[in-house]
Amino acid sequence: TLSERVRHIVTSAFASRRLVVFSGGEAKGDGEILEEIRQLAEGGATGSIVGRNSFQRPYPKALELLGNIIAIYRAAAEKPNP
């Protein structure tokens, strides 16, 4: 799964002692983006580059999307590490 691959990458980054940010890719729908972000966060990613996926939306929709992304990463950060 994506989260397992991300976990492997994060663990390989100096035994998880480095921040790991993933680049976004092609434009996607909100559901696709948020699911990808959930899996990245579950795998231990520190963040995501989502420029195209935020800038190509109307301003209110972009703010909503970014708020949802922040919430996903905050929730993941509050979970204890296995």
Side-chain angles (χ1 to χ4, degrees), residues 37-60:
I37 298 295
R38 280 186 199 92
Q39 290 191 42
L40 290 172
E42 182 181 307
T46 308
S48 308
I49 300 168
V50 293
R52 176 179 301 122
N53 283 294
S54 58
F55 300 143
Q56 292 183 351
R57 284 176 165 65
Y59 188 70

